[in-house]
Amino acid sequence: MRIIVRGAHDEATRHRIRRAAGAARVEFDAAAEGIELADAVVGDVPDPLLARAGRLRWVHSPSAGVDAVLSDALLASEVTLTSSTGNGAIPLAEQAMLLVLMLDRDVPRWLRAQSERRWDRYVHGELAGKTIGLYGLGHSGLDLAAKAKAFHMRVLGLRRSGRPADHVDELLGQDDFPRLLAESDYVVVTAPLTAATAGRFDRAAFAAMKPTAGFVCVSRGGIADDAALLDALRRGEIAGAGLDAHGVEPLPPDSPFWTLPNVIVTPHNGATTRETARRGLDILLDNLGRFARDEPLRNIVDKAAGY
């Protein structure tokens, strides 16, 4: 059995990967030159490589999202795809709460005053009693629900599966999307980017939100239509936005999002923690052992659904 691991890894990590794989032969090969003989690949497998991989049975994405690796060819294949979903849930939820708080209290105004050494006291908001609408209730959405309840917020959660969720006051289905928009003081996107979610926040969606509401995206850009979001912000259809995930990354220097006074931009950095990396490696090591022992894998992706 051969396993190809793409990407850079220090020697200590390589040792842990080899040990977890047991008797399987592990090759650290960024180019995946020997993919014809590979039974598994950790990392991206572009279509030209996939076409050569006659023995391939398993691909593992080191990222929680799989939109970057789930090509049409991989979707059509019988190769099992797993992900590191859940590895960054905690810091992503923290990032979402940070952006919500910054919007609610207009923290950029304080930062501007500090840079000017100006004592600027003003009446700002508080989150207690406000409604947060979570578009997506995966790992990060569920963790965010608990954090929002700790701030005494009312939590609405929209999820495709309809499974009950802790810390959610009302669970909504896809048909309730207009209600999520209309009732939320903050709408937070924690869903993966899939065919079903791409462009879901269009002009009509932003027009359905409260003019006092904020929009926060921490999972994937592309779920919001950038042109529609810019128009809504400029026209005052929504009050502001906190964006860690963007439709184009890196965000181009000439993007209007950088300079809009009611927008907070962070560079898709919310889950970049040592703990995220550690949890992701733990998931990989667990799956390597399972694969070597021919046991069911963890975090199997529903390729048709995209997560």
Side-chain angles (χ1 to χ4, degrees):
M1 183 186 297
R2 290 192 178 187
I3 299 171
I4 290 178
V5 180
R6 308 192 69 190
H9 301 278
D10 60 35
E11 190 53 45
T13 300
R14 291 186 176 205
H15 175 70
R16 294 184 65 189
I17 289 173
R18 290 190 187 100
R19 187 172 59 184
R25 177 175 175 177
V26 177
E27 300 173 10
F28 295 91
D29 182 0
E33 290 294 335
I35 198 166
E36 293 90 345
L37 301 177
D39 298 281
V41 173
V42 176
D44 186 22
V45 184
D47 287 353
L49 287 178
L50 188 63
R52 293 162 41 198
R55 289 177 45 175
L56 191 64
R57 293 184 285 135
W58 170 43
V59 170
H60 178 76
S61 167
S63 173
V66 297
D67 49 285
V69 302
L70 186 51
S71 65
D72 289 341
L74 184 58
L75 175 62
S77 75
E78 295 183 0
V79 174
T80 297
L81 175 64
T82 61
S83 75
S84 298
T85 185
N87 64 335
I90 292 170
L92 273 184
E94 291 178 356
Q95 183 80 2
M97 285 307 306
L98 169 69
L99 293 171
V100 168
L101 278 166
M102 289 182 73
L103 290 171
D104 202 62
R105 299 205 168 205
D106 195 5
V107 168
R109 177 172 169 175
W110 275 328
L111 295 176
R112 288 192 297 270
Q114 180 179 350
S115 69
E116 298 166 2
R117 303 186 184 190
R118 179 169 44 85
W119 193 257
D120 183 16
R121 299 181 76 244
Y122 54 91
V123 176
H124 54 72
E126 65 179 41
L127 295 183
K130 290 182 178 175
T131 297
I132 188 169
L134 308 182
Y135 183 73
L137 281 174
H139 295 279
S140 56
L142 291 172
D143 196 72
L144 177 56
K147 288 176 168 60
K149 290 307 293 181
F151 279 85
H152 313 294
M153 300 185 78
R154 173 179 175 240
V155 180
L156 303 179
L158 189 149
R159 76 185 326 178
R160 184 176 69 100
S161 69
R163 292 193 309 274
D166 292 337
H167 311 294
V168 175
D169 293 298
E170 293 189 63
L171 186 64
L172 306 179
Q174 297 298 320
D175 292 341
D176 298 312
F177 184 57
R179 186 179 162 206
L180 181 86
L181 300 173
E183 295 187 17
S184 297
D185 296 296
Y186 289 95
V187 175
V188 182
V189 176
T190 57
L193 179 62
T194 68
T197 63
R200 189 70 174 95
F201 285 81
D202 54 15
R203 293 183 188 277
F206 291 117
M209 290 173 60
K210 298 177 182 181
T212 56
F215 174 77
V216 171
C217 185
V218 295
S219 57
R220 284 292 187 271
I223 295 175
D225 180 285
D226 281 352
L229 176 56
L230 279 168
D231 190 54
L233 290 163
R234 286 168 168 162
R235 293 163 57 92
E237 288 183 339
I238 62 173
L243 307 174
D244 188 51
H246 311 270
V248 177
E249 294 185 355
L251 191 65
D254 61 351
S255 170
F257 286 120
W258 287 112
T259 54
L260 283 179
N262 54 348
V263 175
I264 298 166
V265 170
T266 55
H268 208 153
N269 205 197
T272 313
T273 69
R274 292 182 179 87
E275 292 78 9
T276 293
R278 175 183 55 76
R279 286 186 291 264
L281 179 59
D282 287 345
I283 292 168
L284 169 60
L285 297 178
D286 183 27
N287 263 350
L288 284 168
R290 290 167 181 257
F291 187 72
R293 297 187 300 268
D294 198 26
E295 296 176 357
L297 296 174
R298 173 181 171 189
N299 285 2
I300 292 178
V301 173
D302 179 342
K303 292 192 291 184
Y307 59 91

